[in-house]
Amino acid sequence: MSLVKLTIKGISYSQTQNGAYALILNEVDGERKLPIVIGAFEAQSIAIALEKEIKPPRPLTHDLFKSFADRFDIVVKQVIIHKLVDGVFYSSIICERDKIEEIIDARTSDAIALALRFNAPIFTYKNILDKAGIYLNTNPTDLENQNTEDEGVLSTPETFGLDSEGNAGDAYVSMSLSELHEALEKAVQDEDYEKAAKIRDEISKRES
């Protein structure tokens, strides 16, 4: 399966899930976006890594991991979002020490936070992007101006379209496929990334 390189488009605060954020990944050689709902702590860590000028007074968990890895000559070579099951993204961190490569399982938000600190590329497989990627008419300025300084420590799985029990919202389950496509188009126009991701997941489940 072919790999597709991704970059971080921005982080948007969730309008429907308190304390959650939508991390928007963009394919390098295309227009599709991959929204992933993450917790506030992970969003803060990613935002700090993106803003090179911001230096927290004490190391965050991902900064500590970077210092630990540097001390023992461990390098993160790349991150791969390799699986999507029931709305949950699974990722691997490809590390190297003494020319020996190791693959470590990780939550996608943690993997991306570390990739930023190691300047490592982020990839996903084409079939995952085909299934979960959507076209969003985003405004980068709006995303950059989002407030990502939330001090909360909510840590949720990287899911989209799932409630606290792991089920798609009732509102989307009861909608027809055509209604879902209309709702997706409206969510994209409104730049409601988290809602668009939820609707996309419901559509993907029905069409799979």
mmCIF file of all heavy atoms in Angstrom, residues 80-107:
data_model
loop_
_atom_site.group_PDB
_atom_site.id
_atom_site.type_symbol
_atom_site.label_atom_id
_atom_site.label_comp_id
_atom_site.label_asym_id
_atom_site.label_seq_id
_atom_site.Cartn_x
_atom_site.Cartn_y
_atom_site.Cartn_z
ATOM 1 N N ILE A 80 3.469 6.924 11.171
ATOM 2 C CA ILE A 80 2.531 6.405 10.178
ATOM 3 C C ILE A 80 1.178 6.139 10.835
ATOM 4 O O ILE A 80 1.082 5.395 11.809
ATOM 5 C CB ILE A 80 3.040 5.101 9.532
ATOM 6 C CG1 ILE A 80 4.384 5.335 8.835
ATOM 7 C CG2 ILE A 80 2.013 4.566 8.524
ATOM 8 C CD1 ILE A 80 4.993 4.078 8.247
ATOM 9 N N ILE A 81 0.143 6.807 10.332
ATOM 10 C CA ILE A 81 -1.227 6.492 10.745
ATOM 11 C C ILE A 81 -1.630 5.285 9.899
ATOM 12 O O ILE A 81 -1.940 5.415 8.722
ATOM 13 C CB ILE A 81 -2.164 7.685 10.502
ATOM 14 C CG1 ILE A 81 -1.637 8.931 11.227
ATOM 15 C CG2 ILE A 81 -3.590 7.365 10.957
ATOM 16 C CD1 ILE A 81 -2.375 10.210 10.889
ATOM 17 N N HIS A 82 -1.591 4.118 10.497
ATOM 18 C CA HIS A 82 -1.625 2.888 9.703
ATOM 19 C C HIS A 82 -2.951 2.140 9.695
ATOM 20 O O HIS A 82 -3.144 1.212 8.897
ATOM 21 C CB HIS A 82 -0.523 1.925 10.186
ATOM 22 C CG HIS A 82 -0.721 1.448 11.602
ATOM 23 N ND1 HIS A 82 -1.493 0.363 11.918
ATOM 24 C CD2 HIS A 82 -0.232 1.923 12.769
ATOM 25 C CE1 HIS A 82 -1.472 0.170 13.216
ATOM 26 N NE2 HIS A 82 -0.717 1.111 13.766
ATOM 27 N N LYS A 83 -3.878 2.544 10.585
ATOM 28 C CA LYS A 83 -5.125 1.774 10.650
ATOM 29 C C LYS A 83 -6.263 2.666 11.121
ATOM 30 O O LYS A 83 -6.076 3.598 11.889
ATOM 31 C CB LYS A 83 -4.949 0.577 11.598
ATOM 32 C CG LYS A 83 -6.110 -0.390 11.610
ATOM 33 C CD LYS A 83 -5.736 -1.690 12.322
ATOM 34 C CE LYS A 83 -5.413 -1.496 13.780
ATOM 35 N NZ LYS A 83 -5.221 -2.779 14.502
ATOM 36 N N LEU A 84 -7.460 2.360 10.629
ATOM 37 C CA LEU A 84 -8.678 3.055 11.032
ATOM 38 C C LEU A 84 -9.745 1.998 11.275
ATOM 39 O O LEU A 84 -10.187 1.328 10.343
ATOM 40 C CB LEU A 84 -9.115 4.042 9.943
ATOM 41 C CG LEU A 84 -10.461 4.741 10.134
ATOM 42 C CD1 LEU A 84 -10.448 5.571 11.410
ATOM 43 C CD2 LEU A 84 -10.775 5.630 8.929
ATOM 44 N N VAL A 85 -10.143 1.845 12.535
ATOM 45 C CA VAL A 85 -11.130 0.822 12.901
ATOM 46 C C VAL A 85 -12.206 1.447 13.768
ATOM 47 O O VAL A 85 -11.904 2.011 14.829
ATOM 48 C CB VAL A 85 -10.466 -0.351 13.649
ATOM 49 C CG1 VAL A 85 -11.522 -1.378 14.059
ATOM 50 C CG2 VAL A 85 -9.382 -0.997 12.813
ATOM 51 N N ASP A 86 -13.454 1.357 13.331
ATOM 52 C CA ASP A 86 -14.593 1.872 14.088
ATOM 53 C C ASP A 86 -14.378 3.313 14.533
ATOM 54 O O ASP A 86 -14.677 3.689 15.674
ATOM 55 C CB ASP A 86 -14.860 0.984 15.312
ATOM 56 C CG ASP A 86 -15.302 -0.419 14.925
ATOM 57 O OD1 ASP A 86 -15.917 -0.564 13.849
ATOM 58 O OD2 ASP A 86 -15.020 -1.361 15.688
ATOM 59 N N GLY A 87 -13.829 4.112 13.642
ATOM 60 C CA GLY A 87 -13.658 5.528 13.927
ATOM 61 C C GLY A 87 -12.427 5.886 14.737
ATOM 62 O O GLY A 87 -12.243 7.039 15.092
ATOM 63 N N VAL A 88 -11.584 4.908 15.042
ATOM 64 C CA VAL A 88 -10.375 5.166 15.826
ATOM 65 C C VAL A 88 -9.146 5.021 14.929
ATOM 66 O O VAL A 88 -8.972 4.005 14.250
ATOM 67 C CB VAL A 88 -10.259 4.193 17.016
ATOM 68 C CG1 VAL A 88 -8.990 4.475 17.815
ATOM 69 C CG2 VAL A 88 -11.478 4.305 17.916
ATOM 70 N N PHE A 89 -8.291 6.054 14.933
ATOM 71 C CA PHE A 89 -7.043 6.007 14.180
ATOM 72 C C PHE A 89 -5.956 5.345 15.030
ATOM 73 O O PHE A 89 -5.817 5.645 16.211
ATOM 74 C CB PHE A 89 -6.586 7.423 13.806
ATOM 75 C CG PHE A 89 -7.449 8.097 12.782
ATOM 76 C CD1 PHE A 89 -8.448 8.969 13.169
ATOM 77 C CD2 PHE A 89 -7.256 7.863 11.431
ATOM 78 C CE1 PHE A 89 -9.250 9.601 12.234
ATOM 79 C CE2 PHE A 89 -8.042 8.490 10.489
ATOM 80 C CZ PHE A 89 -9.050 9.363 10.885
ATOM 81 N N TYR A 90 -5.172 4.468 14.402
ATOM 82 C CA TYR A 90 -4.046 3.816 15.061
ATOM 83 C C TYR A 90 -2.760 4.257 14.370
ATOM 84 O O TYR A 90 -2.703 4.309 13.138
ATOM 85 C CB TYR A 90 -4.174 2.292 14.974
ATOM 86 C CG TYR A 90 -5.329 1.730 15.764
ATOM 87 C CD1 TYR A 90 -6.630 1.793 15.276
ATOM 88 C CD2 TYR A 90 -5.121 1.143 17.004
ATOM 89 C CE1 TYR A 90 -7.697 1.283 16.005
ATOM 90 C CE2 TYR A 90 -6.184 0.623 17.743
ATOM 91 C CZ TYR A 90 -7.469 0.692 17.233
ATOM 92 O OH TYR A 90 -8.522 0.182 17.953
ATOM 93 N N SER A 91 -1.739 4.561 15.166
ATOM 94 C CA SER A 91 -0.491 5.065 14.597
ATOM 95 C C SER A 91 0.716 4.299 15.114
ATOM 96 O O SER A 91 0.666 3.677 16.187
ATOM 97 C CB SER A 91 -0.317 6.558 14.916
ATOM 98 O OG SER A 91 -1.293 7.324 14.261
ATOM 99 N N SER A 92 1.800 4.378 14.362
ATOM 100 C CA SER A 92 3.075 3.778 14.743
ATOM 101 C C SER A 92 4.173 4.831 14.670
ATOM 102 O O SER A 92 4.178 5.664 13.757
ATOM 103 C CB SER A 92 3.437 2.609 13.812
ATOM 104 O OG SER A 92 2.507 1.554 13.943
ATOM 105 N N ILE A 93 5.068 4.783 15.648
ATOM 106 C CA ILE A 93 6.243 5.642 15.644
ATOM 107 C C ILE A 93 7.432 4.792 15.213
ATOM 108 O O ILE A 93 7.723 3.768 15.843
ATOM 109 C CB ILE A 93 6.505 6.247 17.034
ATOM 110 C CG1 ILE A 93 5.297 7.068 17.494
ATOM 111 C CG2 ILE A 93 7.759 7.113 17.026
ATOM 112 C CD1 ILE A 93 5.407 7.561 18.925
ATOM 113 N N ILE A 94 8.089 5.187 14.141
ATOM 114 C CA ILE A 94 9.255 4.448 13.650
ATOM 115 C C ILE A 94 10.501 5.094 14.250
ATOM 116 O O ILE A 94 10.827 6.247 13.943
ATOM 117 C CB ILE A 94 9.336 4.473 12.114
ATOM 118 C CG1 ILE A 94 7.967 4.154 11.491
ATOM 119 C CG2 ILE A 94 10.406 3.506 11.622
ATOM 120 C CD1 ILE A 94 7.382 2.831 11.884
ATOM 121 N N CYS A 95 11.184 4.355 15.119
ATOM 122 C CA CYS A 95 12.363 4.863 15.818
ATOM 123 C C CYS A 95 13.624 4.137 15.356
ATOM 124 O O CYS A 95 13.557 3.037 14.794
ATOM 125 C CB CYS A 95 12.219 4.678 17.331
ATOM 126 S SG CYS A 95 10.759 5.442 18.031
ATOM 127 N N GLU A 96 14.752 4.772 15.637
ATOM 128 C CA GLU A 96 16.034 4.148 15.273
ATOM 129 C C GLU A 96 17.075 4.450 16.343
ATOM 130 O O GLU A 96 17.187 5.579 16.819
ATOM 131 C CB GLU A 96 16.516 4.664 13.919
ATOM 132 C CG GLU A 96 17.787 3.973 13.425
ATOM 133 C CD GLU A 96 18.201 4.465 12.046
ATOM 134 O OE1 GLU A 96 17.683 3.943 11.051
ATOM 135 O OE2 GLU A 96 19.045 5.391 11.991
ATOM 136 N N ARG A 97 17.816 3.428 16.719
ATOM 137 C CA ARG A 97 18.939 3.577 17.657
ATOM 138 C C ARG A 97 20.031 2.593 17.254
ATOM 139 O O ARG A 97 19.764 1.405 17.067
ATOM 140 C CB ARG A 97 18.490 3.309 19.092
ATOM 141 C CG ARG A 97 19.599 3.453 20.129
ATOM 142 C CD ARG A 97 19.053 3.339 21.539
ATOM 143 N NE ARG A 97 20.077 3.554 22.534
ATOM 144 C CZ ARG A 97 20.807 2.579 23.092
ATOM 145 N NH1 ARG A 97 20.587 1.307 22.736
ATOM 146 N NH2 ARG A 97 21.710 2.855 23.997
ATOM 147 N N ASP A 98 21.231 3.113 17.093
ATOM 148 C CA ASP A 98 22.368 2.287 16.660
ATOM 149 C C ASP A 98 22.048 1.530 15.371
ATOM 150 O O ASP A 98 22.368 0.340 15.229
ATOM 151 C CB ASP A 98 22.771 1.293 17.762
ATOM 152 C CG ASP A 98 23.305 1.992 19.001
ATOM 153 O OD1 ASP A 98 23.839 3.112 18.853
ATOM 154 O OD2 ASP A 98 23.178 1.420 20.096
ATOM 155 N N LYS A 99 21.363 2.231 14.460
ATOM 156 C CA LYS A 99 20.999 1.688 13.147
ATOM 157 C C LYS A 99 20.018 0.518 13.235
ATOM 158 O O LYS A 99 19.832 -0.228 12.267
ATOM 159 C CB LYS A 99 22.246 1.269 12.364
ATOM 160 C CG LYS A 99 23.178 2.434 12.060
ATOM 161 C CD LYS A 99 24.359 1.984 11.216
ATOM 162 C CE LYS A 99 25.269 3.174 10.892
ATOM 163 N NZ LYS A 99 26.425 2.792 10.069
ATOM 164 N N ILE A 100 19.388 0.354 14.390
ATOM 165 C CA ILE A 100 18.363 -0.675 14.573
ATOM 166 C C ILE A 100 17.011 0.015 14.642
ATOM 167 O O ILE A 100 16.799 0.910 15.457
ATOM 168 C CB ILE A 100 18.601 -1.502 15.849
ATOM 169 C CG1 ILE A 100 19.949 -2.221 15.770
ATOM 170 C CG2 ILE A 100 17.461 -2.500 16.062
ATOM 171 C CD1 ILE A 100 20.319 -2.974 17.036
ATOM 172 N N GLU A 101 16.096 -0.397 13.775
ATOM 173 C CA GLU A 101 14.784 0.240 13.702
ATOM 174 C C GLU A 101 13.772 -0.497 14.556
ATOM 175 O O GLU A 101 13.720 -1.725 14.578
ATOM 176 C CB GLU A 101 14.310 0.276 12.243
ATOM 177 C CG GLU A 101 13.051 1.090 12.018
ATOM 178 C CD GLU A 101 12.699 1.212 10.546
ATOM 179 O OE1 GLU A 101 13.259 2.092 9.873
ATOM 180 O OE2 GLU A 101 11.876 0.401 10.070
ATOM 181 N N GLU A 102 12.981 0.279 15.282
ATOM 182 C CA GLU A 102 11.915 -0.275 16.121
ATOM 183 C C GLU A 102 10.606 0.424 15.779
ATOM 184 O O GLU A 102 10.587 1.607 15.429
ATOM 185 C CB GLU A 102 12.223 -0.078 17.604
ATOM 186 C CG GLU A 102 13.477 -0.761 18.093
ATOM 187 C CD GLU A 102 13.325 -2.266 18.234
ATOM 188 O OE1 GLU A 102 12.172 -2.740 18.146
ATOM 189 O OE2 GLU A 102 14.336 -2.949 18.429
ATOM 190 N N ILE A 103 9.494 -0.306 15.888
ATOM 191 C CA ILE A 103 8.172 0.248 15.644
ATOM 192 C C ILE A 103 7.389 0.232 16.946
ATOM 193 O O ILE A 103 7.241 -0.816 17.579
ATOM 194 C CB ILE A 103 7.416 -0.552 14.565
ATOM 195 C CG1 ILE A 103 8.212 -0.545 13.247
ATOM 196 C CG2 ILE A 103 6.028 0.016 14.339
ATOM 197 C CD1 ILE A 103 7.591 -1.399 12.166
ATOM 198 N N ILE A 104 6.900 1.414 17.365
ATOM 199 C CA ILE A 104 6.196 1.549 18.630
ATOM 200 C C ILE A 104 4.763 2.002 18.377
ATOM 201 O O ILE A 104 4.525 2.979 17.662
ATOM 202 C CB ILE A 104 6.912 2.565 19.546
ATOM 203 C CG1 ILE A 104 8.340 2.095 19.829
ATOM 204 C CG2 ILE A 104 6.140 2.757 20.849
ATOM 205 C CD1 ILE A 104 9.164 3.096 20.616
ATOM 206 N N ASP A 105 3.815 1.301 18.965
ATOM 207 C CA ASP A 105 2.402 1.669 18.846
ATOM 208 C C ASP A 105 2.123 2.922 19.672
ATOM 209 O O ASP A 105 2.671 3.081 20.767
ATOM 210 C CB ASP A 105 1.533 0.505 19.329
ATOM 211 C CG ASP A 105 0.050 0.809 19.202
ATOM 212 O OD1 ASP A 105 -0.366 1.255 18.115
ATOM 213 O OD2 ASP A 105 -0.681 0.608 20.182
ATOM 214 N N ALA A 106 1.297 3.824 19.158
ATOM 215 C CA ALA A 106 1.012 5.075 19.875
ATOM 216 C C ALA A 106 -0.336 5.633 19.472
ATOM 217 O O ALA A 106 -0.845 5.344 18.389
ATOM 218 C CB ALA A 106 2.108 6.107 19.583
ATOM 219 N N ARG A 107 -0.910 6.433 20.370
ATOM 220 C CA ARG A 107 -2.084 7.205 19.978
ATOM 221 C C ARG A 107 -1.642 8.211 18.926
ATOM 222 O O ARG A 107 -0.519 8.714 18.940
ATOM 223 C CB ARG A 107 -2.681 7.935 21.177
ATOM 224 C CG ARG A 107 -3.216 7.025 22.261
ATOM 225 C CD ARG A 107 -3.999 7.812 23.300
ATOM 226 N NE ARG A 107 -3.209 8.954 23.794
ATOM 227 C CZ ARG A 107 -3.725 9.961 24.478
ATOM 228 N NH1 ARG A 107 -5.019 9.997 24.717
ATOM 229 N NH2 ARG A 107 -2.958 10.942 24.912
#
